[in-house]
Each structure stands twice: as C-alpha cells, then as structure tokens.
Amino acid sequence: MTFQEQIQQGIPNELPAIKPYDPQINHAPKRKDILTAEEKKLALKNALRYFEPKFHAELLPEFKEELEKYGRIYMYRFRPDYEIKARSIKEYPGKSEQAKSIMLMIQNNLDYAVAQHPHELITYGGNGAVFQNWAQYLLTMKYLSEMTDDQTLTMYSGHPMGLFPSHKEAPRVVVTNGMVIPNYSKPDDWEKLNALGVSQYGQMTAGSYMYIGPQGIVHGTTITVLNAFRKIKKEPKGGLFVTSGLGGMSGAQPKAGNIAGCITVCAEVNPKITKIRHEQKWIDEIHENLDELVERVRKAQENKETVSLAYLGNVVEVWEKFDQENLHIDIGSDQTSLHNPWAGGYYPVGIPFEEANKMMAENPELFKEKVQESLRRHAKAINRHTDKGTYFFDYGNAFLLEASRAGADVMAENPTLGREFKFPSYVQDIMGPMCFDFGFGPFRWVCASGKPEDLQKTDEIACSVLEEIMKNSPTEIQQQMQDNITWIKGAQENKLVVGSQARILYADAEGRMKIAETFNKAIKNGEIGLVVLGRDHHDVSGTDSPYRETSNIYDGSRFTADMAIQNVIGDSFRGATWVSIHNGGGVGWGEVINGGFGMLLDGSEDADRRLKSMLFWDVNNGISRRSWARNEGAIFAIKRAMEIEPNLKVTLPNSVNEDLLA
C-alpha cells in the first residue's frame, strides 16, 4: 500500500506482524506496577475495544505482556511501517487542507529526530505523550484524512472520540489532555488512569501537536541566559553556566549557551540522549571524568571560549566537584524533568543509570527515597555556590518545589505568597517582567511545504517586519525587539531545524499579527507555500502555572486558572484551526493548566481575518490579567493596546497607598 492508503486505512483489517523491540531506540522507562488485578483486566478490556472481537484472543496475551513488562499498553505491533516525519502538506490524503496540516504536525511530533521516546509516542519531558497507544494514532490519522471543513474531531487524552458535524469557522480539532477531576488528582491517580488507558499527560506542545524540536525552547533559553548575565552585570564571554538535562526540552540549553556566547556545562545521566545531542551538534564535547572536566572549564575560562560541555553523569557530582575545586559558577539552573520525579524525570546520584531504572520499576519507594536524598545534596551544593556569588534560578521544571518537598534547604527566610523560595523562578526575575508582561512570547511557524527555501523566505519576512516595527516602538520594548531581530538574523547559521521546517521568535501581538499577515500575502502571491502558526503554551496568556508562567503574579490569583481556560475558549471562536487545553505541562500534572492553538494560513481572506482576530486576543487576554495584578509592564502594554484598538476596553487597577495599610 502507498503512504496515503495506509493513512486512510486506519486500524488494519488484518493483524500486522509483531514488531521486534528495537534496543537502538531511546525507550521510555518501565512505569511502576500500579494496577490491581481487576484493574489490569479493565486496562486490557480498554485496549481491546479498538479491535474486532476476532482478534482479541491473539492480542490479549501480547497486551498483557506489555502491561506487565512496561506498565503501559503501547500496542507496538501497530507501529506503521512507513517513516514518520513531517512531509509536505501535499503528500497527505484528505478533503481539508486544515486537517492535512494537523497530520503533518502530529507526524513531526513523532519523528525519530524529534521525539524523546518515539515508540512509546512520547515527544519530550519523559512522559509528554501525543497518544497513549498506536491504535489511537492510526484512528486519528484516518479521521483527519476523511474530515471536511464542516466537521470537528474531538480528542480525549489521545483518544479520537470522533468526527462531529460542525462548520468551517469552528476548530477542526479540539484537544483535551489529563483533565482529571481535582479530588482524584494525586500522582498515583494519574499513573493509574494512564495505565488504564483513559488519561494522559500531554506536556505543553506534545499532546497539542505543536512541538518543533529543541528549537522551540532554544530561543527562550537564549533570552534567559543573556538576561541572567545582564542581571549580574557580566558579559557572557568567559562566563560559566551550569545546568542539567539533555532531553527534548532541556537539550536546548547548551545550544542556547553557545548562541549567548558563554561556557555551558550540562550534565545528563542517559548515554543515548547524550550521544544524540552530540551527533545533532547541540553540544560540542562529552566528558565522563570530573577532573578532566574541571581542567577543560578552567581552560575555557582563561581563553574566554564559547563552548558547550556535556558531563555524562549526575549533576550533583558537578556542583560538588566545582565547589571542592573552587571553580566559580556565574549562573546556574536545572532542567531535569522534575515534574515527573518518580518515573525517570530525575535520577539519584551514586546509582548507575540502568540500576536506577530497575529500582524505579521494582522498588519505587526506595527510588523515591534516593531521589529526595539527592535533591537535598543537590540544593546543599547549590547553596555553597550561591554563598560565593553564583546567581541561581529555577528554570520552571519544579526543581525548587520538589526539593522543598524533600526537605532541602531552599525556602525563603521570610516567605510570602509571591516568593516562598530563596531562589527566584526565571519567570519572576527575567521572562515575566521583561517579556510576558509586555506581551512578548514564543510565536512560531512551520512551512507546510517542507522546503528549506520557504523557511528562509519567512525568516527574511519576519526580520523585515520586526525592523519596520522597531522604528516606532516605545523605549520600553526596544531591547526585546533588538534581541529578536538579532536572533532571526542568526537563525539560519545556527542550524536550529530538527524535523519540520520551523522557526520560533519572541513577538508581541503587533509583531505576531503583522508577520502572519505578511506571510498570508506571500502565500496568496505564490511566493511561499502554506504556513502553520502556533506557539508554545509557555506564553503570555495560555498558561496558569503558579511556579512558572504566572509566578510573577502577586495579587493571589496565581493559583487560579481562569486565564488559560478563557484563552482556549476565546481562540476557538476567533479562528484557530485547532485548540488544546491540558492539565499539566512543564511543571507537572496537577501543577498547571495550559492551553494552545494551531492555525493554518492559506493565503485566503478568511485566514487574514482570523489571524487578526485570534492573535490579538491570544496575547492581550494575558496582558490584561497581568495588568489587573498590578504588573507595571502589563499596565503599560494594555494601555497601548487600547490606544491601537478602540474596541478593546479593559478594566485597569487602581493603586493603593502603602502607608494606608501600615
């Protein structure tokens, strides 16, 4: 069968041959045995309902073995034989260009070069899933190939519930992930529901089909690193940045360090992912000996090199060794997947990688004890460095939150509702006041033709638009504008593309709308092919996350999720091609609600109307909430937005004289 025929077939009418387990692929760790005997029967019944009864007797022992061996039923047998990657939109079968664009984005998320655990349908973060099993993938792609612009596909945590009558102004797909009832929302509840096959953790852009490889976070990390050095009033050249993690998101750190111009030391315990990042040239060197690493860093400091050094081992060892050697760290952070600490997101120091994986599955209580012991050591070593002048920030991965739960010394001496920890979140100190409050966030696009020349043309268009906007931009956002112009000019030479022909830059509502409008005109004129717009959920408006995206909200509302829910509802009736809302993302299931969108530009007047309506709302919803929290930058930004758009009327806060409250 052709690729198109396989997509249209969906779940095959005859069982495909069993596929051997491929040890060369980076696989997800075994999940803990969480289900009772009766619940395991239910998980099997849930999995078998995708298949005709005549296949149940053959599939039952196979699925039972997967559940026992891996803690999940992935249905490996049903992995497609064709290569999964973002093809040109023209190669996908279907009746709707919008549906084809979604197929392209789904396949990009599962590309071997992009996905962290592709055979387990996990894109990044250790458990950020696109689907729970391969039957869901096959059925979803079939539905999309049949969809018209008068239908909407509803996705329940990876399960395609079905195509429903709709209309062309509605989203083609509506995605929900992990939306568990609050009273049944403890870590073991999520594990159980996932093992049963009824809920999944969609991360931010994994389960919403908008991941573009590590590039998606490289730009934000570059801005963070640059501004961290600005904060300590030091040039990045010759400065040392120490962190950890080389996974789907964290792997961006060494590349960002190189772009910023500093020395980056990034620890990673997984040899496979370390090798992959080195082959992709996201890191320059791999070191396995701490003494040699120390000497290499000293040499780099003396020569003021720009270099990224991976340490294959535990980051706790790096912090402790650099302290013993009195090696000064300028800025430090951590980006292990501590939103998922008990299932491979963070590994305990002193235990070999494979042994730790075995302990995680077979003795989860001991594994948890060892992780918490490591977190206490980790924090203790960081404290010794910060006492010597290191600037440490939490990078939104729940490091401080989990360290505090482990009893580590990370709490502020005089905690307040806004700042409980002794170290700030990077959003509190950098991204919130400098970017999000002014409306700047991770706008991104994908060239649906798959042509590198289209990406180059869109880079040139974006740069030209930003340079024109900057001529009349207020001084308050000149730095943000210049950082993004510098970024987009260097985007091609930095070789950021992994998977789809995609780009990201931080832009405000004006920038996003004008760039998108110019793209749409170029499509209409035949200068470029179709373009998919999107963003990370880690943005101005899409995410309510008290320890990350909304950590610089100090009016007490950072533990509410009205903004994220309003965002996705508003996007859905203002023209988004697809929308998503997730429980969890970045900092973990139960810790955050986040929403995202995708939008296809096809050169039409409809697309022009939709992009202006939706992108304006998508940003200003968040600015208005930040303004109401009395954030000065957001008050400035929303007043400016009201001057530009007379139909915008936002409630502004009145300040209270602090002396009255004394």
Side-chain angles (χ1 to χ4, degrees), residues 329-358:
I329 298 170
D330 294 288
I331 63 173
S333 192
D334 183 85
Q335 212 176 40
T336 48
S337 297
L338 270 159
H339 67 274
N340 184 33
W342 324 125
Y346 183 94
Y347 282 80
V349 65
I351 302 174
F353 180 62
E354 293 301 336
E355 187 180 326
N357 278 329
K358 187 177 179 184

Side-chain angles (χ1 to χ4, degrees), residues 246-494:
L246 286 173
M249 296 295 280
S250 53
Q253 295 175 108
K255 186 74 169 179
N258 278 5
I259 295 170
C262 65
I263 303 159
T264 304
V265 172
C266 191
E268 171 59 58
V269 296
N270 185 333
K272 278 187 182 176
I273 198 65
T274 304
K275 182 172 178 284
I276 288 169
R277 291 290 175 248
H278 188 246
E279 289 171 351
Q280 291 175 338
K281 302 190 185 305
W282 289 77
I283 53 174
D284 298 322
E285 302 172 18
I286 298 174
H287 293 267
E288 298 184 42
N289 182 286
L290 281 170
D291 290 321
E292 292 175 5
L293 178 65
V294 168
E295 289 307 307
R296 181 67 185 91
V297 171
R298 289 196 196 283
K299 180 184 175 185
Q301 287 177 321
E302 288 169 11
N303 297 331
K304 293 195 171 183
E305 293 180 51
T306 295
V307 66
S308 55
L309 312 172
Y311 173 63
L312 183 53
N314 199 290
V315 70
V316 177
E317 298 169 328
V318 176
W319 283 100
E320 291 178 341
K321 181 69 172 178
F322 284 14
D323 175 52
Q324 291 164 11
E325 298 289 336
N326 206 26
L327 195 62
H328 180 66
I329 298 170
D330 294 288
I331 63 173
S333 192
D334 183 85
Q335 212 176 40
T336 48
S337 297
L338 270 159
H339 67 274
N340 184 33
W342 324 125
Y346 183 94
Y347 282 80
V349 65
I351 302 174
F353 180 62
E354 293 301 336
E355 187 180 326
N357 278 329
K358 187 177 179 184
M359 183 191 296
M360 185 196 312
E362 298 178 2
N363 195 344
E365 289 307 313
L366 179 60
F367 183 80
K368 180 176 180 179
E369 183 183 311
K370 292 296 183 183
V371 164
Q372 292 192 319
E373 184 182 298
S374 283
L375 283 167
R376 291 191 290 272
R377 269 180 66 178
H378 196 161
K380 189 175 181 181
I382 289 168
N383 284 332
R384 288 198 292 269
H385 282 277
T386 56
D387 287 343
K388 292 187 279 189
T390 296
Y391 172 59
F392 182 87
F393 55 90
D394 184 293
Y395 208 176
N397 64 330
F399 171 73
L400 292 179
L401 188 61
E402 285 303 332
S404 70
R405 290 168 176 168
D409 180 14
V410 295
M411 304 307 294
E413 288 184 17
N414 298 300
T416 66
L417 187 63
R419 207 179 275 250
E420 298 94 332
F421 303 118
K422 66 166 65 177
F423 305 116
S425 153
Y426 76 114
V427 174
Q428 285 177 312
D429 264 17
I430 299 169
M431 301 305 287
M434 296 188 67
C435 293
F436 293 169
D437 283 356
F438 288 99
F440 284 83
F443 180 57
R444 58 179 66 174
W445 63 89
V446 176
C447 295
S449 67
K451 296 178 180 177
E453 55 266 36
D454 274 10
L455 183 60
Q456 185 168 346
K457 288 175 186 173
T458 58
D459 283 346
E460 292 165 0
I461 289 170
C463 186
S464 176
V465 168
L466 291 179
E467 287 178 329
E468 190 61 33
I469 292 173
M470 190 176 172
K471 291 177 184 177
N472 298 306
S473 292
T475 55
E476 286 85 350
I477 61 171
Q478 285 285 312
Q479 182 69 67
Q480 292 92 324
M481 295 296 298
Q482 187 55 58
D483 280 349
N484 281 289
I485 290 168
T486 301
W487 163 267
I488 203 71
K489 283 184 174 178
Q492 295 280 335
E493 65 186 67
N494 285 318

Side-chain angles (χ1 to χ4, degrees), residues 175 177 179 202-204 207-208 537 580-584 592-594:
V175 179
N177 278 301
M179 301 304 287
Q203 257 290 355
M204 288 196 158
S208 58
H537 300 198
S580 60
I581 189 77
H582 299 179
N583 176 358
V592 51
I593 301 294
N594 63 94

Side-chain angles (χ1 to χ4, degrees), residues 10 30 51 64 88 141 227 231 237 275 321 352 405 418 508 534 627:
K30 180 182 177 183
F51 307 96
K64 186 177 181 182
S88 167
M141 296 295 279
N227 285 307
K231 191 168 184 64
K237 208 74 174 167
K275 182 172 178 284
K321 181 69 172 178
R405 290 168 176 168
D508 61 4
S627 165

Side-chain angles (χ1 to χ4, degrees), residues 210 443-446 512 515-517 519 531-535 578 597-601 611 615:
M210 191 43 72
F443 180 57
R444 58 179 66 174
W445 63 89
V446 176
R512 297 182 205 203
I515 290 170
E517 183 183 14
F519 286 171
V531 172
V532 176
L533 301 182
R535 57 161 170 76
W578 74 96
F597 76 87
M599 173 178 272
L600 179 68
L601 299 183
L611 74 86
L615 293 176

